[in-house]
């Protein structure tokens, strides 16, 4: 899930102050994507076409609010009502719907955030302080709750808690071990987010970050190709010497490709480092591989829509790619997905369940993008601001607060529990947003500004 991203544009101020002397003409050496003017134009064009509030895109905050609400409501309902759990398994998964909305939002805003004229290092400093302090706080809280019997940990984690606590702290735990080693079950999406950041950074270093349409086509095509890709090729139960050698070969090939495209030795070294992390993680995903490919393709479709909104590609091409991706998902599921029995709920799952859920997420994003010039309800925007906290904290609330056992004033115990969990999640998310998430986000922005100021050349003296 992506965290809300500030929409300020510090590049414009820097260029207005220093003119063509900031910082140099070689954009890769400076850590920006193009010439200074070209960096500003797409961002400015988007900001002119999107309604903002407090420097944030309203339609994105509204989408985040809806996505987080869908995840929370879905998870609460599945725990309380078996009939809803069966519906969620067989017809429409609110949780899956919410996370795919988040994935499209990430694809839309993260490349834009990276291309705002800051260095790659500053981008990662910002991401670190935006995500990790709250995530680590959530992990610590889960451990404390577990110690007093108020939060359950999965068997895979308990088999080696020290090691799995370390892997969870990296936020790529989903790619480092089995899914049952996660502390926060919903955190699997953050692993995909972080790997997406790694690949976007690689594209940035290689000067390919604006080739969004061909990259999206390649990613969409990989959904089919991923059918033949083994899972967990590094440390999975079926991993062997051959699979690990394949991982090494692919990693070296990707690292060499991007290192050769980098502008400086320092950028080449960074590309090698990023490839050495990203490629093994992706090839070690626990599966199914086609599902992972669908997630990355969805993010890149979000990037295509950003290029369209910025005027970098045509409207027909942007919406065409959007529709093409949705059709491929439907067609792929129709051809490949077989109806099956869900062991958890005992219901028959038709081929179209996941496809419809994913495409509905696409349709919601598309509708919000069309309404981007309009204002959205403030409660929805508030939920969008606290969406990252809400996404993480609701897991703690569901574990810590026991369900009601009796009805009150004619309200059933199930509905009392549902209201308690939802309201409690929002209340706790509001608290952690103001005490952890926002302060550390602001700290990260200050550090980014200092990094930019340190890289800024002194004005040329006037003779």
């Amino acid at each position: 899930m992506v965290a809300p991203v500030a929409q300020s544009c510090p590049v414009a101020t820097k260029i207005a102050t220093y003119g063509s002397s900031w910082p140099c003409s070689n954009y890769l050496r400076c850590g920006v994507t193009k010439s200074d003017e070209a960096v500003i134009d797409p961002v400015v064009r988007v900001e002119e076409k999107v309604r903002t509030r407090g420097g944030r895109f309203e339609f994105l905050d509204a989408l985040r609010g809806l996505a987080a609400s869908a995840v929370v409501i879905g998870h609460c309902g599945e725990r309380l009502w078996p009939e809803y759990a069966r519906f969620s398994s067989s017809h429409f998964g609110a949780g899956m719907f919410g996370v795919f909305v988040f994935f499209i939002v990430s694809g839309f805003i993260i490349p834009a955030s990276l291309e705002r004229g800051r260095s790659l290092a500053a981008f990662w400093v910002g991401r670190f302080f935006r995500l990790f302090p709250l995530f680590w706080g959530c992990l610590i809280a889960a451990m404390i709750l577990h110690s007093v019997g108020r939060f359950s940990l999965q068997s895979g984690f308990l088999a080696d808690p020290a090691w799995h606590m370390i892997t969870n702290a990296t936020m790529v735990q989903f790619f480092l071990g089995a899914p049952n080693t996660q502390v926060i079950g919903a955190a699997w999406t953050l692993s995909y987010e972080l790997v997406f950041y790694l690949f976007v950074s690689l594209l940035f270093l290689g000067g390919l970050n604006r080739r969004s349409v061909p990259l999206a086509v390649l990613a969409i095509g990989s959904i089919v190709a991923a059918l033949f890709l083994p899972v967990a090729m590094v440390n999975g139960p079926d991993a062997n010497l051959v699979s690990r050698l394949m991982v090494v070969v692919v990693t070296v090939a990707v690292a060499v490709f991007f290192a050769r495209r980098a502008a400086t030795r320092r950028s080449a070294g960074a590309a090698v480092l990023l490839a050495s992390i990203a490629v093994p993680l992706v090839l070690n995903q626990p599966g199914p591989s086609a599902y992972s490919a669908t997630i990355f393709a969805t993010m890149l479709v979000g990037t295509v829509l950003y290029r369209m909104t910025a005027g970098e590609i045509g409207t027909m091409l942007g919406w065409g790619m959007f529709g093409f991706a949705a059709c491929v998902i439907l067609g792929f599921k129709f051809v490949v997905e077989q109806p099956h029995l869900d062991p958890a709920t005992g219901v028959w799952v038709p081929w179209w369940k996941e496809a419809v859920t994913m495409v509905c997420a696409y349709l919601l994003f598309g509708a919000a993008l069309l309404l981007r010039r309009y204002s959205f309800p403030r409660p929805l925007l508030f939920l969008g601001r606290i969406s990252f906290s809400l996404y993480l904290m609701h897991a703690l609330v569901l574990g810590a607060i026991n369900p009601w056992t009796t009805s009150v004033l004619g309200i059933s115990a199930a509905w009392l529990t549902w209201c308690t969990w939802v309201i409690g999640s929002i209340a706790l998310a509001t608290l952690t947003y103001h005490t952890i998430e926002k302060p550390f986000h602001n700290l990260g922005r200050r550090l980014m500004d200092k990094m930019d100021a340190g890289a800024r050349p002194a004005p040329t003296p006037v003779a």
Side-chain angles (χ1 to χ4, degrees), residues 195 198-199 202 234 246-255 258 273-285:
V195 170
L198 291 169
F199 276 108
L202 267 176
V234 177
M246 289 175 60
V247 172
V248 171
V249 170
V250 175
T251 301
V252 170
V254 173
F258 282 100
L273 175 63
L274 291 172
S276 300
I277 298 172
V279 176
L281 286 175
V282 170
L283 295 180
N284 198 48
Q285 55 86 30

Side-chain angles (χ1 to χ4, degrees), residues 220-463:
I220 294 169
S222 72
I223 296 174
V224 177
L227 282 172
F228 308 99
L229 182 67
V231 300
M233 296 174 66
V234 177
N235 64 357
D238 296 326
N240 51 41
L241 179 60
V242 174
S243 67
R244 294 185 181 106
L245 285 175
M246 289 175 60
V247 172
V248 171
V249 170
V250 175
T251 301
V252 170
V254 173
V256 170
F257 175 79
F258 282 100
R260 289 176 64 86
R261 291 189 60 88
T264 66
R265 289 185 177 180
R266 184 176 181 180
S267 296
V272 171
L273 175 63
L274 291 172
S276 300
I277 298 172
V279 176
L281 286 175
V282 170
L283 295 180
N284 198 48
Q285 55 86 30
S289 300
Y291 189 79
S292 294
T294 303
I295 291 173
F296 291 121
T298 295
M299 291 179 173
L300 286 168
V301 168
T303 304
V304 169
L305 294 179
Y306 169 75
R307 303 293 179 205
M308 179 190 72
T309 307
E312 297 182 61
I313 64 172
T315 301
M316 290 186 63
L317 179 58
W319 286 117
M321 285 298 305
F322 178 82
F324 173 65
C327 289
V328 168
I329 290 173
L330 282 170
F332 176 80
K333 292 294 183 180
F334 175 74
V335 173
V336 174
E337 194 79 12
Q338 297 295 321
H340 61 277
L341 191 68
D342 179 33
T345 58
V347 298
W348 197 252
V349 182
W351 70 265
W352 48 262
K353 182 262 180 175
E354 284 191 356
V356 168
T357 302
M358 295 174 187
V359 171
C360 283
Y362 273 62
L363 294 176
L364 177 65
F365 188 94
L369 185 60
L370 292 173
L371 297 173
R372 63 188 179 274
R373 297 180 185 271
Y374 295 91
S375 184
F376 288 80
R378 290 196 176 188
L380 195 56
L381 300 179
F382 167 74
L383 290 174
R385 285 195 298 275
I386 68 167
S387 58
F388 183 46
S389 286
L390 183 58
Y391 186 81
L392 290 178
M393 294 302 148
H394 87 279
L396 300 181
V397 171
L398 267 63
I401 300 179
N402 290 331
W404 289 69
T405 57
T406 58
S407 61
V408 176
L409 299 176
I411 304 174
S412 68
W415 276 108
L416 287 172
T417 303
W418 186 88
C419 292
T420 301
W421 282 349
V422 171
I423 295 172
S425 297
I426 294 174
L428 180 59
T430 302
L431 176 64
T432 56
Y433 172 75
H434 286 289
T435 59
I436 301 176
E437 183 181 349
K438 187 176 180 180
F440 276 101
H441 187 200
N442 291 336
L443 174 60
R445 292 175 65 182
R446 291 194 297 270
L447 291 174
M448 292 165 70
D449 290 338
K450 288 183 179 180
M451 293 174 70
D452 289 339
R456 182 190 305 163
T460 303
V462 178

Side-chain angles (χ1 to χ4, degrees), residues 103-114:
F103 288 143
I104 306 175
V105 169
S106 293
F108 187 95
I109 200 60
I110 290 302
S113 177
L114 179 58

